[in-house]
């Protein structure tokens, strides 16, 4: 067997056998296959696609390419939640404490932001003192004692995905459903949970631009999860607009706390209740998804979820007083206000552009090695459907570098479309698979 032959088979539309896929994954992780051959294969896959069986095989090879997590010591059905990457998506900060308050153990590994999308770990680090690294024993102990722990990916988990994802990122081969499904599901399966809720983003601010593509990706991931014996549900949610008003790490923590206080923007609240409700159902805490959602709503409104969030922050060394005093969270002292150039209604906010604008403030990374400004980001003052007058402040960019903040402000302006007529309201949650 050799790489040239494997590339040729896929280039010509053939199907790779399990041993050919194994040869590639093992050889690439071991450093025996050079990047140029791996890139050629990924591009062949990008154009010729993988069958369902090839995708399942690739997922399994990546899942077991390094360490896997054993959560069996934690009693109960452990339920994970994963978002395919969005703009302003702070739902993990809300959903994890709701689920834990309902008795669903949440032992979660999260990622950092890259490109125009944010990451939970950066958001948590905006909380002074919060530790995103725990030893495996501390991680398990924390879930056993308070029901929730969220940490950065540690150990040698799915090294094949790490290497292949990094290569896809620089060879324009990210946007392939099989590769995305194998990448996400290999990590989720290696993380050792019993059930998985996937939040599949769909629209301009997401990898999947159309509902059709989001549906196909969801079906693929649900099939992979079910095949591996994990109850898996996918929620397809709209990413044609940023979620909530805040984009950027500390700004998003503030907004998440508002939602945990029973307030906050309707869209974040709606999606969080849906995701947490499904987690409650999969975790055996409700007889149906609907009942799970009612329980989730109660946990929010009664303050139980906020109490759990405080407990969670304290357990991981953070200052829980941020829940009562937002001044304790970092916020850049430079700001650029963005003004409406005309009168009308906001009919669209390009999520991807806002994500890039937030990156320009310093809140996001261009490469994995970049550091982030935790107090930087974009606050949207006007959302889709709002009426605006010429000169109204539609958004504000924050940060610590005046030039970055100004350039972000210019980008934000381009993200807004103003029309004469109020746009029709669109559904946030498109489908559940
Ligand atoms: N997120 C991942 O983890 N992998 C992908 O391929 C795309 C999004």
């Amino acid at each position: 067997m050799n790489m040239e032959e494997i590339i040729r088979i896929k280039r010509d539309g053939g199907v790779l056998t399990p041993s050919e896929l194994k040869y590639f994954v093992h050889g690439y992780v071991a450093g025996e296959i050079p990047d140029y051959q791996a890139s050629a294969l990924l591009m062949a896959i990008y154009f010729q696609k993988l069958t369902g069986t090839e995708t399942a095989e690739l997922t399994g090879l990546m899942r077991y390419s390094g360490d896997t997590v054993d959560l069996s010591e934690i009693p109960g059905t452990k339920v994970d939640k994963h978002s395919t990457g969005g703009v302003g998506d702070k739902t993990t900060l809300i959903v994890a404490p709701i689920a834990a308050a309902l008795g669903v153990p949440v032992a979660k590994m999260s990622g950092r932001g890259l490109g125009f999308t944010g990451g939970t770990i950066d958001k948590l680090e905006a909380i002074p003192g919060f530790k995103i690294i725990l030893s495996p024993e501390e991680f398990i102990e924390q879930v056993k004692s308070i029901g929730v722990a969220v940490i950065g990916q540690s150990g040698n988990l799915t090294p094949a995905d790490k290497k292949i994802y990094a290569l896809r990122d620089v060879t324009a081969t990210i946007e392939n459903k099989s590769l995305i499904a194998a990448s996400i599901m290999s990590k989720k399966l290696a993380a050792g949970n019993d059930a998985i809720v996937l939040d599949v983003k769909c629209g301009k601010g997401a990898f999947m631009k159309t509902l059709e593509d989001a549906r196909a990706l969801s079906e693929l991931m649900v099939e992979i999860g079910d095949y591996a014996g994990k109850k898996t549900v996918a929620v397809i949610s709209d990413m044609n607009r940023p979620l909530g008003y805040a984009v950027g790490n500390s700004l998003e923590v503030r907004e998440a706390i508002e939602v945990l206080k029973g307030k906050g923007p309707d869209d974040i609240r709606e999606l969080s209740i849906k995701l947490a409700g499904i987690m409650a159902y999969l975790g055996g805490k409700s007889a149906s998804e609907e009942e799970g959602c009612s329980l989730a709503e109660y946990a929010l409104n009664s303050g139980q979820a906020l109490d759990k969030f405080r407990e969670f922050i304290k357990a991981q060394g953070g200052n829980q007083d941020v829940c009562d005093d937002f001044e304790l969270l970092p916020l850049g002292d430079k700001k650029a206000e963005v003004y409406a150039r005309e009168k009308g209604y906001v009919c669209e906010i390009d999520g991807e552009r806002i994500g890039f604008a937030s990156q320009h403030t310093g809140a996001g990374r261009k490469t994995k090695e970049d550091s982030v400004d935790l107090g930087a980001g974009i606050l949207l003052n006007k959302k889709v459907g709002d009426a605006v007058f010429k000169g109204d402040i539609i958004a504000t960019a924050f940060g610590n570098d005046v030039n970055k903040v100004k350039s972000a402000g210019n980008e934000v302006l381009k993200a807004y479309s103003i029309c004469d007529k109020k746009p029709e309201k669109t559904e946030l949650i498109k489908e559940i698979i």
Side-chain angles (χ1 to χ4, degrees):
M1 208 176 291
N2 67 70
M3 252 330 260
E4 196 187 329
E5 184 53 23
I6 291 173
I7 296 166
R8 186 173 294 114
I9 292 170
K10 194 36 86 181
R11 184 199 66 186
D12 296 343
V15 175
L16 297 173
T17 62
S19 43
E20 283 159 347
L21 286 164
K22 186 173 172 187
Y23 180 89
F24 161 60
V25 173
H26 285 194
Y28 189 51
V29 173
E32 289 154 7
I33 293 168
D35 282 351
Y36 54 82
Q37 285 189 313
S39 309
L41 179 62
L42 291 170
M43 193 54 88
I45 292 174
Y46 179 87
F47 283 114
Q48 297 290 3
K49 308 189 171 41
L50 293 177
T51 63
T53 312
E54 285 174 307
T55 308
E57 198 60 43
L58 178 65
T59 309
L61 286 163
M62 301 210 299
R63 171 185 181 181
Y64 292 112
S65 62
D67 301 337
T68 52
V69 181
D70 180 1
L71 299 176
S72 58
E73 242 189 79
I74 304 168
T77 305
K78 281 77 66 183
V79 187
D80 203 351
K81 172 254 164 197
H82 181 84
S83 150
T84 56
V87 177
D89 184 2
K90 64 282 293 173
T91 49
T92 294
L93 303 182
I94 303 158
V95 165
I98 300 179
L102 297 178
V104 179
V106 180
K108 187 161 169 46
M109 288 192 177
S110 283
R112 294 190 179 280
L114 186 64
F116 66 85
T117 64
T120 300
I121 288 304
D122 295 324
K123 292 171 209 194
L124 288 172
E125 278 190 333
I127 300 170
F130 196 97
K131 283 189 294 181
I132 56 103
I133 297 172
L134 298 179
S135 70
E137 296 73 28
E138 287 170 330
F139 179 57
I140 286 176
E141 260 326 295
Q142 186 174 313
V143 182
K144 279 166 84 176
S145 67
I146 67 160
V148 54
V150 182
I151 55 170
Q153 248 197 40
S154 58
N156 186 31
L157 223 66
T158 58
D161 176 61
K162 273 196 198 101
K163 260 193 106 167
I164 294 172
Y165 190 86
L167 192 63
R168 287 168 59 212
D169 203 25
V170 292
T171 55
T173 49
I174 292 277
E175 299 92 340
N176 171 277
K177 290 182 208 78
S178 292
L179 293 177
I180 295 178
S183 163
I184 292 176
M185 292 308 289
S186 63
K187 287 185 286 244
K188 293 292 105 183
L189 296 175
N193 281 282
D194 305 308
I196 305 160
V197 179
L198 300 162
D199 179 10
V200 179
K201 305 292 188 191
C202 161
K204 279 194 177 161
F207 289 126
M208 296 296 112
K209 306 290 182 206
T210 65
L211 182 57
E212 206 187 351
D213 282 341
R215 192 183 288 136
L217 176 64
S218 302
E219 284 169 356
L220 198 51
M221 292 197 289
V222 168
E223 237 171 75
I224 294 171
D226 287 346
Y227 184 72
K230 313 281 180 183
K231 285 179 275 178
T232 308
V233 173
V235 175
I236 302 180
S237 67
D238 186 33
M239 211 359 102
N240 275 314
R241 51 195 162 167
L243 265 179
Y245 288 87
V247 182
N249 303 302
S250 67
L251 292 171
E252 292 192 43
V253 173
R254 285 172 184 234
E255 195 167 68
I257 293 169
E258 290 289 356
V259 176
L260 286 165
K261 287 182 173 170
K263 300 180 267 182
D266 291 345
D267 54 359
I268 293 282
R269 185 179 153 86
E270 180 188 346
L271 184 58
S272 301
I273 289 173
K274 180 61 83 179
L275 295 169
I278 296 174
M279 286 174 80
Y281 172 59
L282 293 181
K285 301 296 171 191
S286 68
S288 65
E289 276 176 28
E290 292 70 35
E291 194 198 339
C293 291
S294 305
L295 293 173
E297 197 165 3
Y298 181 75
L300 269 187
N301 295 342
S302 63
Q304 286 172 1
L306 179 65
D307 290 346
K308 189 54 76 178
F309 188 62
R310 289 181 202 271
E311 222 182 325
F312 159 60
I313 294 178
K314 186 168 172 225
Q316 291 193 221
N319 184 353
Q320 57 168 317
D321 293 344
V322 294
C323 297
D324 308 301
D325 183 0
F326 288 162
E327 298 293 316
L328 295 171
L329 289 164
L331 185 64
D333 60 359
K334 311 285 184 301
K335 67 177 185 178
E337 288 172 338
V338 182
Y339 302 100
R341 297 269 171 96
E342 60 204 310
K343 171 179 172 231
Y345 292 93
V346 178
C347 53
E348 200 185 310
I349 304 175
D350 182 331
E352 186 167 344
R353 271 224 151 111
I354 295 289
F356 279 123
S358 174
Q359 188 194 50
H360 290 170
T361 61
R365 293 182 182 77
K366 291 199 175 75
T367 72
K368 267 211 258 190
E369 289 68 37
D370 289 349
S371 58
V372 296
D373 179 347
L374 295 169
I378 311 289
L379 205 53
L380 308 176
N381 299 77
K382 300 285 181 187
K383 293 260 288 176
V384 172
D386 287 348
V388 292
F389 291 94
K390 188 174 173 186
D392 276 356
I393 300 173
I394 51 175
T396 312
F398 290 91
N400 288 296
D401 178 320
V402 71
N403 293 325
K404 285 185 182 174
V405 167
K406 270 193 192 154
S407 108
N410 294 334
E411 196 64 30
V412 169
L413 186 61
K414 290 187 213 149
Y416 272 80
S417 304
I418 312 280
C419 327
D420 293 339
K421 269 182 48 197
K422 191 172 167 132
E424 302 249 322
K425 231 178 157 213
T426 52
E427 291 294 319
L428 172 67
I429 296 171
K430 306 266 181 208
E431 260 173 48
I432 298 182
I433 289 172

